[in-house]
Amino acid sequence: AYLEDKGIHFDEYELVRFLKWWVKFNRVHPAIQYGPLVKRHISYSLANNISEPKSLDKIYYYRERGVFNEENLPMPDSVLEPSLQDTVGTRMLEDASLRNWFSPLPVDVWASFVSQHAIMTKGLASDAEVRNTILAMLSKELKRQ
């Protein structure tokens, strides 16, 4: 980790370690009220990504595996990357100390996003399978409600 003008920058491994540490630290020394301030000052880069660092403050959601169990579904940028979620673990993300940081992606937020996504709007034959998966998932969720 190194300090930037905006705060602390982590690589993927360091971010995972920090999130796990934050949960454990809060069990011993509750500092949940400082969570939003801490989150605002963290940026990170994924191991396989050479683009600009991402601000952790712009990540609001994680995939709820019971709902979003398909890996090829398009997701908004505000959703934690599957590689990070898998490494940190959904159980950690559900911890009270991270509740101000992340929540499960609501289906209505995802439906609004995916309805405007190119997979749904362009109608390419190559995207037909993903479109069918999206529509089946939305149908399943509507029946559940």
Side-chain angles (χ1 to χ4, degrees), residues 8 14 17 28 42 47-48 57 62 64 68-69 91 101 113 122 145:
I8 299 173
E14 292 167 329
R17 287 193 50 169
V28 179
I42 296 175
N48 61 353
D57 200 36
Y62 59 87
E64 194 171 9
F68 302 103
N69 51 10
R91 195 163 152 216
W101 295 30
F113 164 80
K122 290 195 175 180
Q145 295 177 1

Coordinates of all heavy atoms in Angstrom, one line a residue, residues 8 14 17 28 42 47-48 57 62 64 68-69 91 101 113 122 145:
I8 N -5.1 6.0 0.5 CA -4.3 4.8 0.4 C -4.7 4.0 -0.8 O -5.9 3.8 -1.1 CB -4.5 4.0 1.7 CG1 -4.1 4.7 2.9 CG2 -3.7 2.7 1.6 CD1 -4.4 4.1 4.2
E14 N -3.6 -6.8 -1.2 CA -3.6 -5.9 0.0 C -5.0 -5.5 0.4 O -5.4 -5.4 1.6 CB -2.8 -4.6 -0.3 CG -1.3 -4.9 -0.4 CD -0.5 -3.7 -0.9 OE1 -1.1 -3.0 -1.7 OE2 0.7 -3.6 -0.6
R17 N -6.7 -8.4 2.2 CA -6.1 -8.4 3.5 C -6.7 -7.3 4.4 O -7.0 -7.5 5.6 CB -4.6 -8.4 3.5 CG -4.0 -9.7 3.0 CD -2.6 -9.8 3.2 NE -2.3 -9.5 4.7 CZ -1.2 -9.6 5.3 NH1 -0.2 -10.1 4.6 NH2 -1.0 -9.3 6.5
V28 N -13.0 -6.5 17.9 CA -12.3 -6.2 19.2 C -12.4 -4.7 19.6 O -12.7 -4.4 20.7 CB -10.8 -6.5 19.0 CG1 -10.0 -6.2 20.3 CG2 -10.7 -8.0 18.7
I42 N -9.8 5.0 0.2 CA -9.1 3.8 -0.4 C -9.4 3.6 -1.9 O -10.5 3.7 -2.3 CB -9.6 2.5 0.3 CG1 -9.2 2.5 1.8 CG2 -9.1 1.2 -0.3 CD1 -9.8 1.4 2.6
A47 N -5.2 -7.2 -10.0 CA -3.9 -7.8 -10.5 C -3.9 -7.9 -12.0 O -2.8 -7.7 -12.6 CB -3.8 -9.2 -9.9
N48 N -5.0 -8.2 -12.6 CA -5.0 -8.4 -14.1 C -5.4 -7.1 -14.8 O -5.7 -7.2 -16.0 CB -5.9 -9.6 -14.5 CG -7.3 -9.3 -14.0 OD1 -7.6 -8.3 -13.4 ND2 -8.2 -10.2 -14.4
D57 N -14.9 3.7 -2.7 CA -16.1 4.5 -2.3 C -17.2 4.4 -3.4 O -18.3 4.7 -3.1 CB -15.7 6.0 -2.1 CG -16.7 6.7 -1.2 OD1 -17.3 6.1 -0.3 OD2 -17.0 7.9 -1.5
Y62 N -22.4 -6.1 -3.7 CA -21.8 -7.4 -4.0 C -22.9 -8.3 -4.6 O -24.1 -8.0 -4.3 CB -21.1 -8.0 -2.8 CG -22.0 -8.3 -1.6 CD1 -22.7 -9.5 -1.5 CD2 -22.1 -7.4 -0.6 CE1 -23.5 -9.7 -0.4 CE2 -22.9 -7.6 0.5 CZ -23.6 -8.8 0.6 OH -24.4 -9.0 1.7
E64 N -25.3 -11.2 -4.8 CA -25.9 -12.2 -3.9 C -26.0 -13.5 -4.7 O -26.7 -13.6 -5.7 CB -27.3 -11.8 -3.5 CG -27.9 -12.5 -2.3 CD -29.2 -11.9 -1.8 OE1 -29.7 -11.0 -2.5 OE2 -29.7 -12.4 -0.8
F68 N -27.7 -14.0 -8.3 CA -26.8 -13.7 -9.4 C -25.8 -14.9 -9.5 O -24.6 -14.6 -9.2 CB -26.2 -12.4 -9.3 CG -27.1 -11.2 -9.3 CD1 -27.4 -10.6 -8.1 CD2 -27.8 -10.8 -10.4 CE1 -28.3 -9.5 -8.0 CE2 -28.7 -9.8 -10.3 CZ -28.9 -9.1 -9.1
N69 N -26.2 -16.0 -9.8 CA -25.3 -17.2 -9.8 C -24.6 -17.4 -11.2 O -23.8 -18.3 -11.3 CB -26.0 -18.4 -9.3 CG -27.3 -18.7 -10.0 OD1 -27.6 -18.1 -11.0 ND2 -28.1 -19.6 -9.5
R91 N -19.6 -14.0 3.4 CA -19.8 -14.0 4.8 C -19.1 -12.7 5.4 O -19.7 -12.1 6.3 CB -19.3 -15.3 5.5 CG -19.8 -15.4 6.8 CD -19.7 -16.9 7.3 NE -19.5 -16.9 8.7 CZ -18.8 -17.7 9.4 NH1 -18.1 -18.6 8.7 NH2 -18.7 -17.7 10.7
W101 N -20.6 -0.2 4.0 CA -19.8 -0.2 2.8 C -20.4 -0.9 1.6 O -20.4 -0.4 0.5 CB -18.4 -0.9 3.1 CG -17.6 -0.3 4.1 CD1 -17.9 0.5 5.2 CD2 -16.1 -0.4 4.1 NE1 -16.8 0.9 5.9 CE2 -15.7 0.4 5.3 CE3 -15.2 -1.0 3.3 CZ2 -14.4 0.5 5.6 CZ3 -13.9 -0.9 3.7 CH2 -13.4 -0.1 4.8
F113 N -30.1 -1.4 -14.7 CA -28.9 -1.4 -15.4 C -28.9 -2.3 -16.7 O -28.5 -1.8 -17.8 CB -27.7 -1.8 -14.5 CG -26.5 -2.2 -15.2 CD1 -25.6 -1.2 -15.7 CD2 -26.1 -3.5 -15.5 CE1 -24.4 -1.5 -16.3 CE2 -25.0 -3.8 -16.1 CZ -24.1 -2.8 -16.6
K122 N -28.9 -4.1 -28.4 CA -28.5 -4.3 -29.7 C -29.0 -5.5 -30.4 O -29.1 -5.6 -31.7 CB -26.9 -4.3 -29.8 CG -26.3 -3.0 -29.4 CD -24.9 -2.9 -29.8 CE -24.4 -1.5 -29.5 NZ -23.1 -1.3 -29.9
Q145 N -41.3 -13.0 -5.9 CA -41.9 -11.8 -5.2 C -43.3 -12.0 -5.2 O -44.2 -11.7 -4.6 CB -41.5 -10.5 -5.8 CG -40.0 -10.3 -5.7 CD -39.6 -9.0 -6.5 OE1 -40.4 -8.3 -7.0 NE2 -38.3 -8.7 -6.5

